[in-house]
Amino acid sequence: MGDALGATTEFLTPREIRQYHKVHRDIVGGGWLHLAPGAVTDDTEMSLALGRSIIDRRRVDAVSIAEAFSAWMRSKPVDIGNTVRRGIVHYRSTGRPKIDQNEQSAGNGACMRCLPVALAYCRAPVEQLVSAVHVQSHVTHNAPLSDAGTDTVVKMVVAALQGGGRRSMRQIADALVSGFPAFRYDGRRVENPSGWIVDTLRAVFQALFSTSGFEEALVDVVNRGGDSDTTGAIAGMLAGALYGREAIPLRWSNALDTAVRQECEQQAISLVALANGGVQPVIEGTGISNHG
């Protein structure tokens, strides 16, 4: 939802958004990708690819996920980040579903797609949740900042799903800031955020904690411009878990591509059912796969 909303304002500055849209608040497509109304970008497409793998394997399985991402790239998506592309090419050429640690991979591409892990492992011990999210992340992104930020988002989603509310979510965000002060979000308003995970989450946390509803949070963050499809996607995960499905504006649900909306709904049901039934242990698969 946030992806489709934010794609319209991606790479615009807040001033340009005001000039063209006043306040952008509807799913209308367009943007630099010239999307049809309701279409989504790589954020949602990669999340769905991840979800399919988890549902099929009944667990997080590194090779299965890498294959899912590779198949997605082969489909010639409308957009793909450079770090994601490099990670998939690495898997194709080596058979290893994990890149080496690299500070330059601290983008937001692993975080933008992490929701299926949070849903499938929402009843698992936190150590298993973190292990699962690292496996999916490290196919393309392996950096301490990326790991820390993505871990935080899945923990916040799980806390909200378990009824912890805004206070619990904020405590988790503040723990991230304690360990990695670069993520501090209580200062100047972040506008035009880049694809760096730190910029992304500072903008998302500001929007989430300064508003009081799903629509308000997403409208706030996508009107900051920059990498707004991804800030919208991540804010949508968090605000959706916090406020629930009933808080999603009907006009947004109706505007979203029908096939995308249906698969998102079906995957959410299947992933939560997997969590309730006992998700299987993570398969890290750091060795060579049978990939040809």
Side-chain angles (χ1 to χ4, degrees):
M1 199 70 67
D3 174 14
L5 181 70
T8 304
T9 56
E10 188 179 13
F11 301 141
L12 296 179
T13 66
R15 174 182 243 175
E16 289 169 332
I17 295 168
R18 290 191 295 269
Q19 178 183 348
Y20 300 141
H21 304 282
K22 294 186 179 177
V23 177
H24 174 58
R25 57 175 66 253
D26 291 302
I27 295 176
V28 295
W32 76 280
L33 293 170
H34 307 289
L35 296 176
V40 295
T41 74
D42 52 335
D43 300 63
T44 302
E45 290 174 349
M46 291 200 80
S47 179
L48 290 172
L50 173 60
R52 290 180 207 118
S53 170
I54 295 173
I55 292 165
D56 178 63
R57 298 288 293 159
R58 301 188 63 79
R59 68 180 77 196
V60 159
D61 179 324
V63 170
S64 174
I65 290 167
E67 285 288 341
F69 291 165
S70 180
W72 167 76
M73 189 168 83
R74 196 173 296 115
S75 74
K76 298 182 179 178
V78 67
D79 187 29
I80 181 169
N82 290 331
T83 305
V84 167
R85 185 188 300 276
R86 284 194 297 270
I88 294 171
V89 169
H90 171 269
Y91 169 69
R92 289 178 175 178
S93 62
T94 67
R96 297 182 185 277
K98 179 179 180 179
I99 64 167
D100 293 335
Q101 189 174 102
N102 179 0
E103 296 286 352
Q104 299 304 310
S105 68
N108 56 23
C111 191
M112 73 185 188
R113 65 187 188 230
C114 69
L115 181 60
V117 174
L119 296 179
Y121 288 81
C122 64
R123 295 187 179 277
V126 67
E127 297 81 7
Q128 191 174 6
L129 172 69
V130 169
S131 175
V133 80
H134 284 182
V135 166
Q136 77 85 20
S137 295
H138 291 172
V139 176
T140 57
H141 294 68
N142 187 356
L145 285 174
S146 175
D147 282 351
T150 307
D151 294 352
T152 296
V153 168
V154 295
K155 289 176 184 178
M156 290 172 69
V157 169
V158 169
L161 292 176
Q162 294 177 345
R166 180 190 299 267
R167 181 177 179 182
S168 179
M169 296 174 80
R170 187 154 197 159
Q171 288 174 341
I172 296 168
D174 289 346
L176 171 66
V177 175
S178 295
F180 297 87
F183 285 98
R184 182 175 176 181
Y185 59 90
D186 61 353
R188 184 175 179 179
R189 177 181 172 89
V190 177
E191 295 194 335
N192 204 29
S194 73
W196 186 35
I197 188 68
V198 172
D199 281 353
T200 297
L201 291 189
R202 289 179 64 227
V204 168
F205 294 162
Q206 286 181 354
L208 182 69
F209 295 130
S210 66
T211 57
S212 57
F214 182 89
E215 179 175 356
E216 187 183 1
L218 268 63
V219 168
D220 179 306
V221 82
V222 302
N223 279 275
R224 296 169 185 243
D227 199 7
S228 54
D229 62 333
T230 299
T231 57
I234 297 171
M237 296 179 208
L238 295 170
L242 178 60
Y243 297 112
R245 180 177 177 179
E246 63 279 3
I248 300 174
L250 186 60
R251 73 182 193 281
W252 288 359
S253 297
N254 290 339
L256 193 62
D257 178 90
T258 301
V260 169
R261 184 184 71 246
Q262 289 176 346
E263 185 169 10
C264 287
E265 292 172 349
Q266 290 164 0
Q267 281 202 12
I269 293 169
S270 297
L271 290 164
V272 171
L274 188 59
N276 290 336
V279 68
Q280 298 298 307
V282 174
I283 299 179
E284 296 191 15
T286 54
I288 301 294
S289 77
N290 293 322
H291 178 75

